[in-house]
Amino acid sequence: MNEKSNISKKDKPLSIFITGGSSGIGYQAVLNLISLGHNIILPCKNISRANEVLTNILNQSSVELSKEGKIVTPIMDLSDLKSIDSLCAELKNRRVNIDILILNAGLQYTGSKTPRMSTQGIELTFAVNHLSHFYLTEKILPLIDKNNDPKIIITSSEVHNPNSGGGKVGAKASLGNLKGLESGAGFEMIDGNKFNADKAYKDSKLCNILFARKLSNNLMSMKLSIPVIAWAPGLVISRDNQGFFRYSRKYNQLGQKLFAFLARDVLRITTSNKNAGLLLSNLACLCKYRKPGFNYYSNKIISSGKFIFEETEISNDAQRGDLSDDLWDLSKSLIDKILR
């Protein structure tokens, strides 16, 4: 890991809203950010999860309580658009200002043969990884403090790119002509084909980048200087039962354990939640990541156990302006139909 913990605490603490901060990469980033005195809004799915996260953070000996920033854990379920609506309305009523918006939550249930659906009847991978973040951004944007170095950060993945190492394995990311999304709630895949859990995840990560690019263009057209950063943390496999692969393990525990052992312990092509969390907290705080417009960074493996974090080209599909426009319009239309 080349990136060092060179975050400097600002005189004015940042107010940071982060999804997916209760475990894995997001949790480690939250620990870093709190220890630097920044204030965190970390929505959790339910009250029991919120209490568990608060307890875990308080028990972390690595966090210096004398420097600790404030943390609140309101309830918000990313699989329910109305839950997002409720929290954002509450934040607006309380006149909360947000400096950094981190869209980090991600769901994958590779191994499942059938799709799972959100509260509104949307395939769960697409609903959580893209559509909910799309809607959340729309609601949060008026609350972002335009005068305190704001940023929007979106956790994507190199698997969005069919030419990357992970992107070449299995079905490739491809949204086709968005036939599934265009058909409305109930579709199994964005491209209109039959459900494939692995491809659904890859497609959602492509959506993340297309959304980030379109969002950046929209902000610039409104004369708003808010950097939009998409990033890929690399392959992260934790040693506990939490983290990103916790859902996929339910469908193939033996296969997941074997894959984890080979990738993490033999080939050493994985990074840790702690290292990836440091990258995420650096993206939020470091001056070098304030470049205007859209930027994409990837934590690339250069040899066994060694990575480099650098600005990287996105896939050909991710560069398509027509695809980002259509995804944006159809996502907005779907939400409008669901919530009207």
Side-chain angles (χ1 to χ4, degrees):
M1 179 67 62
N2 289 354
E3 192 81 23
K4 297 186 188 280
S5 180
N6 56 351
I7 306 174
S8 58
K9 182 179 176 182
K10 297 183 66 171
D11 293 333
K12 180 183 178 183
L14 294 169
S15 175
I16 300 171
F17 186 109
I18 179 171
T19 67
S22 62
S23 65
I25 295 170
Y27 179 73
Q28 293 298 325
V30 166
L31 290 180
N32 291 335
L33 293 166
I34 290 176
S35 69
L36 293 164
H38 300 303
N39 301 319
I40 307 297
I41 302 172
L42 194 171
C44 295
K45 188 174 183 179
N46 52 53
I47 189 66
S48 61
R49 186 59 173 154
N51 289 336
E52 181 184 0
V53 170
L54 285 174
T55 299
N56 289 341
I57 289 174
L58 289 173
N59 289 339
Q60 286 291 330
S61 59
S62 62
V63 176
E64 298 180 33
L65 295 180
S66 61
K67 293 183 178 179
E68 189 178 11
K70 297 178 182 177
I71 180 168
V72 293
T73 53
I75 306 307
M76 186 185 78
D77 184 351
L78 280 171
S79 67
D80 183 355
L81 294 173
K82 291 184 178 179
S83 178
I84 296 171
D85 228 356
S86 296
L87 176 58
C88 291
E90 179 184 345
L91 295 176
K92 181 179 179 181
N93 289 338
R94 291 170 52 196
R95 300 179 184 274
V96 172
N97 286 329
I98 292 168
D99 301 312
I100 310 288
L101 173 61
I102 302 177
L103 307 174
N104 172 69
L107 175 75
Q108 180 188 45
Y109 53 103
T110 296
S112 175
K113 301 300 182 184
T114 56
R116 298 166 60 189
M117 295 294 175
S118 72
T119 303
Q120 282 77 33
I122 308 298
E123 191 281 312
L124 201 58
T125 315
F126 178 80
V128 170
N129 296 5
H130 167 69
L131 197 66
S132 289
H133 281 150
F134 177 94
Y135 187 53
L136 176 63
T137 303
E138 177 188 336
K139 293 294 182 178
I140 289 285
L141 196 57
L143 308 180
I144 290 181
D145 188 343
K146 314 302 189 298
N147 300 312
N148 198 30
D149 298 323
K151 290 177 193 165
I152 298 173
I153 301 168
I154 303 171
T155 301
S156 182
S157 170
E158 277 290 275
V159 301
H160 88 276
N161 188 345
N163 294 321
S164 69
K168 292 177 182 177
V169 180
K172 314 296 190 295
S174 173
L175 306 186
N177 61 1
L178 303 171
K179 183 179 178 182
L181 177 56
E182 190 174 21
S183 69
F187 66 89
E188 294 188 0
M189 297 290 289
I190 304 170
D191 60 10
N193 291 322
K194 288 293 184 182
F195 181 68
N196 178 315
D198 177 54
K199 184 176 184 297
Y201 174 73
K202 292 173 181 172
D203 288 352
S204 74
K205 296 292 98 179
L206 174 56
C207 288
N208 289 156
I209 297 179
L210 290 166
F211 164 60
R213 290 185 61 246
K214 177 66 174 178
L215 175 62
S216 177
N217 289 339
N218 288 352
L219 292 172
M220 288 190 291
S221 70
M222 293 186 287
K223 309 298 183 185
L224 294 175
S225 181
I226 303 177
V228 179
I229 300 169
W231 76 294
L235 181 58
V236 182
I237 303 179
S238 60
R239 295 186 179 278
D240 57 26
N241 292 324
Q242 297 299 310
F244 177 67
F245 287 97
R246 63 188 180 278
Y247 298 107
S248 298
R249 290 191 192 99
K250 297 178 182 179
Y251 301 98
N252 185 3
Q253 289 193 16
L254 182 59
Q256 287 285 344
K257 286 181 179 178
L258 180 60
F259 171 69
F261 173 72
L262 289 173
R264 184 186 58 217
D265 303 315
V266 177
L267 300 175
R268 297 175 64 215
I269 59 173
T270 70
T271 189
S272 67
N273 282 316
K274 186 174 182 179
N275 285 339
L278 176 59
L279 292 176
L280 180 52
S281 56
N282 281 347
L283 284 172
C285 298
L286 291 186
C287 296
K288 66 191 274 188
Y289 298 118
R290 289 184 196 157
K291 292 170 61 177
F294 167 81
N295 292 282
Y296 175 68
Y297 299 89
S298 179
N299 191 27
K300 292 182 174 180
I301 185 164
I302 52 177
S303 63
S304 180
K306 293 184 179 180
F307 296 81
I308 183 169
F309 191 61
E310 62 183 6
E311 198 164 356
T312 305
E313 284 292 318
I314 55 178
S315 73
N316 290 334
D317 277 356
Q319 297 179 45
R320 286 177 52 190
D322 62 326
L323 195 57
S324 65
D325 289 344
D326 291 344
L327 176 65
W328 184 283
D329 292 342
L330 289 172
S331 296
K332 184 169 178 49
S333 175
L334 179 59
I335 291 170
D336 290 343
K337 287 177 183 176
I338 289 172
L339 296 182
R340 70 183 176 191

